[in-house]
Amino acid sequence: MKSYQADELDEKTVYKLLSGSIVPRPIAWVTSQNSDGLVNVAPFSFFNVASANPPLLSISFTGNKDSLNNLLTTKEAVVHLVNEDNVELMNQTAAPLAKHISEAKEFSLELVPSQKVQVPSLKESKVRLETKLYHHLPLGENGHLVLLEVVNFSFADELLDEENFHVNLTKLKPVGRLAGDDYSTLGNRFSLLRPR
């Protein structure tokens, strides 16, 4: 095996090793809002579920991104899941824009009112997780880890079987992040019974 000590690598190399091997990663497509009401839309792939009780999501940021600053100011955000229908729109919102320009307006994304938070949701997403800031942890020189508590779940009608609360993955068509410019969709699926 090729082995490297993390403290002997530069930040870019560490990022490449993490993002290239921990795959596929779900993508948080986040709407946040500054104190003037300007809506920011940005994707993050260092993201996952952190807890079910309380219902927490984790997102890590590098640097003082608009999304992070908005979140620390308003304490709210909406996390949308990315699928085959909206992945190209999501990719557009990764473009660097000036602070005073909203990605929603720039890329003609339709904003709809959320149920429990002031930050609007994206109509283009089939899964919307409305969140409030639960905890913020600064990391190193310019990193940040946030835990977001989900206060409202919204699913497109065709995705959720309300009898047993199963999400239909075939209809969700999730997309995951790989490394570089690469993404993945669901491929072959199989089941394994858990030991009891």
Side-chain angles (χ1 to χ4, degrees), residues 142-179:
N142 65 349
H144 301 269
L145 174 68
V146 296
L147 295 178
L148 303 174
E149 183 170 10
V150 179
V151 295
N152 193 76
F153 298 84
S154 293
F155 290 84
D157 291 343
E158 71 274 15
L159 290 188
L160 193 64
D161 177 350
E162 285 189 284
E163 198 171 302
N164 55 26
F165 284 90
H166 286 172
V167 177
N168 185 322
L169 293 180
T170 302
K171 292 182 178 175
L172 176 59
K173 302 185 287 185
V175 169
R177 190 77 169 89
L178 302 176

Side-chain angles (χ1 to χ4, degrees), residues 35-50:
S35 53
D36 296 326
L38 184 78
V39 176
N40 178 269
V41 186
F44 299 92
S45 70
F46 278 34
F47 153 70
N48 219 312
V49 61

Side-chain angles (χ1 to χ4, degrees), residues 10-104:
D10 61 44
E11 186 177 342
K12 184 176 181 182
T13 303
V14 169
Y15 176 85
K16 287 170 83 171
L17 293 176
L18 289 172
S19 65
S21 59
I22 301 174
V23 293
R25 294 183 308 283
I27 304 163
W29 196 18
V30 179
T31 53
S32 63
Q33 201 167 25
N34 70 15
S35 53
D36 296 326
L38 184 78
V39 176
N40 178 269
V41 186
F44 299 92
S45 70
F46 278 34
F47 153 70
N48 219 312
V49 61
S51 168
N53 184 18
L56 299 177
L57 309 175
S58 66
I59 302 177
S60 69
F61 298 81
T62 302
N64 288 323
K65 304 228 185 299
D66 293 340
S67 299
L68 175 66
N69 293 330
N70 293 346
L71 182 56
L72 295 178
T73 300
T74 68
K75 313 288 193 253
E76 295 183 343
V78 183
V79 174
H80 307 81
L81 298 188
V82 175
N83 66 14
E84 293 175 39
D85 299 328
N86 61 28
V87 66
E88 290 187 24
L89 286 170
M90 175 279 302
N91 190 50
Q92 288 181 325
T93 63
L97 299 178
K99 267 185 172 323
H100 66 280
I101 298 174
S102 169
E103 290 82 1

